[in-house]
């Protein structure tokens, strides 16, 4: 009897230990499950970021509308105060005459704006209908680089493309402008811009430019890929040629990418703007997509308007007009001390003027 008692107690202890281990394992598993639930996946993070970005955009839109409405109300109030003041100073006939003149001016301004809008639509529609031909200069933005960019960079490129369209609208004789491989996140970001895509009077394609222009054995148009890494400098823009701009923002992570793709994959000629000849930049000669479009349009318009200028003179004028001062070597940012010294000098001058007046 004495021998059996300790054996029973040991079995109970073993069972207890097993249960404790089992419970510990269960709690560990539960903790792991909870931790896994707490940590969102990459896809979930991406979705949340997208939702936050869309919320910010919607908020910006509403704030913009509110600001516009507030400014409208302020202008109406200012106009009301101005007219009340005039009414008190002028006699009835003079005030009536002044109001009539104002109304006539408003009607003529509205009709002028309407005619300008109609002329713009007609100009862009004609360019779109004519399409690319042997007497036209073409510009194509290659938007096939979504995978090389993060969400913020794609959003920034969408803003640049909207500026490209704005520059296109300002052209006196528009070139043939086209966005190719426009799809996915970039296309969705552009939907936040007014009128896109239905009221943007330009060519928009989801296909790659090679699939569009290199289907035939004997291509109809020359294709030149513009890249800052190219060894060839462009002299002028020729009709019957499409100049391709790489739609990418990569902060120099993928250096020489466009140039390499153009030469090795697409078997195309490459060229760059003669920036080094005419403008001294602080660092890289890489420009934004909209700046490239503006350079092409500005060069063409200057050449049409000032036919006595040489190509070098046109390039100099174009690049100095388009490239911002902040990117140039000669542009130096004023220090805080310099700004303060300038303010102090102005104050001293004002004091001296006061003394003279006294």
């Amino acid at each position: 009897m004495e021998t059996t008692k300790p054996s029973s107690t040991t079995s109970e202890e073993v069972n207890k230990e097993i249960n404790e281990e089992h419970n510990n394992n269960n709690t560990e598993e539960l903790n792991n499950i909870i931790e896994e639930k707490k940590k969102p996946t990459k896809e979930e993070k991406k979705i949340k970021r997208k939702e936050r970005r869309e919320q910010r955009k919607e908020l910006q839109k509403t704030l913009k509308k509110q600001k516009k409405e507030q400014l409208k109300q302020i202008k109406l109030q200012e106009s009301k105060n101005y007219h009340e003041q005039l009414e008190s100073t002028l006699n009835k006939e003079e005030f009536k005459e002044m109001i009539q003149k104002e109304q006539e001016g408003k009607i003529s301004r509205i009709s002028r704006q309407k005619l300008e809008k109609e002329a713009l639509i007609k100009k862009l529609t004609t360019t779109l209908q004519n399409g690319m031909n042997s007497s036209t200069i073409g510009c194509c933005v290659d938007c096939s680089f979504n995978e090389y960019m993060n969400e913020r960079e794609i959003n920034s490129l969408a803003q640049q493309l909207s500026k490209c369209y704005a520059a296109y609208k300002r052209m006196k004789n528009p070139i043939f402008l086209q966005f190719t491989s426009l799809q996915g996140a970039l296309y969705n970001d552009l939907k936040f811009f007014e009128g896109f895509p239905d009221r943007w009077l330009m060519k928009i394609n989801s296909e790659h430019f090679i699939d569009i222009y290199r289907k035939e054995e004997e291509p109809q148009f020359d294709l030149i890929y513009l890249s800052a890494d190219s060894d060839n400098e462009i002299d002028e823009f020729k009709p019957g040629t499409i100049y391709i701009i790489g739609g990418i923002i990569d902060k120099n992570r993928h250096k020489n990418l466009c140039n390499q793709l153009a030469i090795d994959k697409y078997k195309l000629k490459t060229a760059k703007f003669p920036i080094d000849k005419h403008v001294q930049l602080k660092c890289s000669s890489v420009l934004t997509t909209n700046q490239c479009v503006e350079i092409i349009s500005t060069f063409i318009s200057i050449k049409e308007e000032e036919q006595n200028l040489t190509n070098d003179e046109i390039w100099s004028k174009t690049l100095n007009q388009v490239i911002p001062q902040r990117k140039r070597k000669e542009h130096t940012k004023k220090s805080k001390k310099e700004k303060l010294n300038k303010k102090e000098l102005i104050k001293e001058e004002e004091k001296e003027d006061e003394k003279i007046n006294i």
Side-chain angles (χ1 to χ4, degrees), residues 29-41 44:
E29 282 174 8
L30 280 164
N31 287 331
N32 288 334
I33 290 160
I34 290 159
E35 279 178 21
E36 280 174 8
K37 281 183 178 179
K38 279 180 182 177
K39 289 177 182 176
T41 61
E44 285 173 338

Side-chain angles (χ1 to χ4, degrees), residues 53 139-140 148 301 349:
R53 196 172 78 246
C139 177
C140 167
Y148 294 95
S301 63
E349 282 173 6

Side-chain angles (χ1 to χ4, degrees), residues 226-314:
L226 298 174
S227 169
D229 302 304
S230 176
D231 297 325
N232 314 309
E233 279 189 350
I234 198 161
D235 184 48
E236 62 178 340
F237 300 101
K238 294 172 183 176
T241 307
I242 299 168
Y243 297 90
I244 298 140
I245 300 160
I248 182 169
I249 298 169
D250 63 343
K251 312 289 181 191
N252 281 333
R253 288 197 309 274
H254 306 288
K255 199 166 169 62
N256 203 32
L257 175 68
C258 294
N259 193 49
Q260 221 166 359
L261 281 170
I263 295 164
D264 301 338
K265 193 177 179 181
Y266 310 137
K267 312 294 179 193
L268 297 177
K269 295 172 190 173
T270 63
K272 63 180 177 182
F273 300 132
I275 294 168
D276 299 331
K277 278 184 183 178
H278 304 282
V279 180
Q280 282 191 313
L281 298 179
K282 283 180 182 176
C283 46
S284 164
S285 58
V286 177
L287 302 170
T288 62
T289 308
N290 57 291
Q291 281 168 356
C292 293
V293 173
E294 281 171 36
I295 283 168
I296 296 168
S297 66
T298 308
F299 182 95
I300 293 161
S301 63
I302 290 169
K303 194 165 188 177
E304 285 171 356
E305 288 165 14
E306 300 177 52
Q307 292 176 3
N308 58 324
L309 295 177
T310 62
N311 282 343
D312 275 344
E313 286 171 330
I314 295 165

